[in-house]
Amino acid sequence: MSSQSKPFRIAALLLRFALGIIFLYAAWTKLSQPWELFAMAIDSYGLLPLRWVEFVARTLPWFEAVIGVLLIAGIFLRTAAVATSLLLAVFFSLMVRAYAKGMQINCGCFGAGEVISWKTLLRDGSMLAAALALASMSFFGRRKKSAAGY
Amino acid sequence: MNMKLCAVAIAALLPAVAAVPEIDPGKAMGNPSAPVTVQVFSDYECPSCKLFHDTTLPTLMHDYVTSGKVYLVYRDFPLPMHKYSRQAAGYACAAAHLGLYQPVADALFKNQASWSNSGKVWETVASVLSENQQKKVQTMSVSPDVLGEIQRDEAAAHRENINSTPTLIVSRGAKKYPVAGGMNYVLLQKLIDELAK
C-alpha cells in the first residue's frame, strides 16, 4: 500500500491495528478459559454436531490469534484481511440468524456470558464493515502498485 | 505452631469463600467441601429455567451432587419482565428456611404455565405444604430476612454480570466460569470433570 496517499495509508494502518487487537483479545478471552465454555456457546447456535463443536472450540481461538498477529504485523495482509472478512461474515450471519429466531444465547464473541443483542450485532456489523474496507484497500493498493510498474 | 497452621488454612480457604458468598443452607445441596461449586441463578417464571430444572438438573444431581463432587447452590434472580417470579421466590426462600425448598421449587416449576397465567402462586405452593407449614411460609415470605436473601442473590447476579436465566456459575476456589443459554450436558460434564481434577 506504499503507493497510496498518506490518509489512505493511515486509515489502513488504523483498521489493521484495531482489527488485529480485537482478534487477539477475542482469542485471549477464549484461550484463558476452559475450552468447554466456548464449545457451549457454539453448541447453543444448534448448527454443528458435538464433535465439530469441540473441534471448532479448540481450534478457532488459535486461528483468531494468528489472524490478529498477521494484521498487526502487516504480513500476508491481503490473505489476512480476506480471512478476517470471511470469518466476521460467518459470525455476523449466525448472530443475525439467532437474533431473528429470538434465541437468547451467548454470542461466544469474547468469552462466556454475553447474550446476543442489537448491541452485539451493531458491534460485529461494524467490525465486518471495517474488515471489508481493509480487504478492499489491500487489493486496491496492489492494483495501484502493478499499474505503477512495481 | 497451631496458630500458624490455622492462619495457613484460613488463607487457603479465603479464595473459595470469596468465590461463593452468602449461602443459605436451605437452598444448597450436597457436600459443602466438594471440589466444585455450581450456583444456579434461576427465575421460577422463566421457561428455560423450567427446562433446566426438569431435564439437566436431575442428571446433574445424580451424577455429581449425590456423589459429593459438586456443591449445588440455588440463587434467586427474578427478572423484572416476569410478574409473579418475585412472589414465587419469596415463597421458595421461606420454604427453604423450613427445609422444604425442593418440594416447593418442584411444584412451582411443574405448574409454571398455570400460575404464571392465573397469578395463583400461593395455591401452587400451598398444595405441597401442610396447614402449619403454610402459615409459616406465608409469614416468612414477606419477612425482611427472606426479602434480604433474595436481594443478596440478585446482588450476586449483578456482580457476576448475569443478564439471563438460567445461568450457572461453575467454580473451584477463585476460578469462576459463567455458563448461560443452551447448556449441553456433555460439555457441562467435561467442564466440571476438568475443574474437579
Side-chain angles (χ1 to χ4, degrees):
Chain A
M1 279 187 233
S2 56
S3 61
Q4 301 305 316
S5 63
K6 200 175 174 185
F8 185 94
R9 277 186 282 126
I10 291 172
L13 194 72
L14 286 174
L15 286 177
R16 266 176 49 205
F17 271 80
L19 287 168
I21 289 166
I22 289 169
F23 265 70
L24 280 180
Y25 177 67
W28 176 79
T29 55
K30 288 163 195 142
L31 292 170
S32 61
Q33 293 183 333
W35 66 269
E36 292 90 348
L37 292 176
F38 185 41
M40 279 189 235
I42 299 169
D43 184 67
S44 63
Y45 283 87
L47 288 167
L48 295 174
L50 195 58
R51 58 192 175 131
W52 278 100
V53 166
E54 290 196 24
F55 174 76
V56 174
R58 286 174 186 272
T59 53
L60 186 61
W62 292 105
F63 188 59
E64 285 178 332
V66 170
I67 286 181
V69 169
L70 292 180
L71 287 173
I72 290 170
I75 310 165
F76 302 118
L77 189 56
R78 277 179 292 273
T79 312
V82 170
T84 308
S85 304
L86 287 175
L87 208 53
L88 284 169
V90 172
F91 293 164
F92 187 64
S93 339
L94 295 179
M95 284 167 67
V96 169
R97 173 187 168 273
Y99 188 71
K101 289 178 92 172
M103 295 163 84
Q104 291 273 310
I105 57 170
N106 176 9
C107 87
C109 312
F110 298 100
E114 192 186 14
V115 177
I116 294 176
S117 65
W118 65 269
K119 286 180 196 166
T120 53
L121 291 180
L122 185 68
R123 184 192 62 207
D124 274 48
S126 312
M127 282 164 57
L128 174 60
L132 288 170
L134 182 66
S136 332
M137 282 167 149
S138 65
F139 279 98
F140 183 64
R142 186 189 194 188
R143 275 208 302 275
K144 279 276 196 184
K145 270 187 195 176
S146 306
Y150 288 99
Chain B
M1 186 64 185
N2 279 347
M3 286 294 281
K4 266 187 186 175
L5 275 175
C6 239
V8 170
I10 289 167
L13 282 170
L14 271 178
V17 172
V20 187
E22 308 133 4
I23 294 172
D24 170 10
K27 281 164 62 185
M29 305 200 78
N31 179 6
S33 52
V36 177
T37 298
V38 175
Q39 297 177 75
V40 183
F41 288 84
S42 176
D43 173 324
Y44 296 100
E45 211 174 333
C46 124
S48 307
C49 298
K50 176 181 163 53
L51 187 69
F52 173 80
H53 183 87
D54 293 350
T55 56
T56 312
L57 200 56
T59 324
L60 185 70
M61 294 282 276
H62 176 265
D63 294 348
Y64 292 98
V65 180
T66 49
S67 61
K69 290 179 195 163
V70 162
Y71 184 45
L72 190 78
V73 181
Y74 295 102
R75 300 275 193 201
D76 282 301
F77 190 37
L79 299 173
M81 70 180 90
H82 294 140
K83 203 172 165 185
Y84 306 110
S85 61
R86 186 169 292 275
Q87 193 185 346
Y91 292 137
C93 272
H97 283 261
L98 304 175
L100 295 163
Y101 176 77
Q102 209 58 57
V104 168
D106 289 347
L108 284 168
F109 280 120
K110 190 181 169 194
N111 303 296
Q112 188 192 65
S114 155
W115 62 260
S116 61
N117 276 322
S118 65
K120 291 180 177 173
V121 189
W122 173 245
E123 285 79 349
T124 307
V125 173
S127 69
V128 290
L129 300 174
S130 70
E131 221 168 284
N132 190 32
Q133 289 166 344
Q134 286 179 18
K135 279 181 197 157
K136 286 181 182 168
V137 167
Q138 229 170 0
T139 314
M140 285 165 74
S141 67
V142 287
S143 70
D145 260 13
V146 163
L147 298 177
E149 258 171 49
I150 298 170
Q151 280 173 356
R152 273 205 302 275
D153 282 357
E154 287 176 297
H158 292 306
R159 275 200 303 277
E160 302 293 347
N161 291 321
I162 293 171
N163 49 21
S164 66
T165 54
T167 294
L168 311 186
I169 301 288
V170 184
S171 60
R172 177 167 192 169
K175 288 183 188 169
K176 285 195 285 187
Y177 303 108
V179 178
M183 274 167 230
N184 182 308
Y185 186 69
V186 176
L187 293 170
L188 183 63
Q189 265 187 312
K190 289 187 178 184
L191 175 66
I192 294 171
D193 290 342
E194 199 168 299
L195 278 177
K197 272 181 201 167

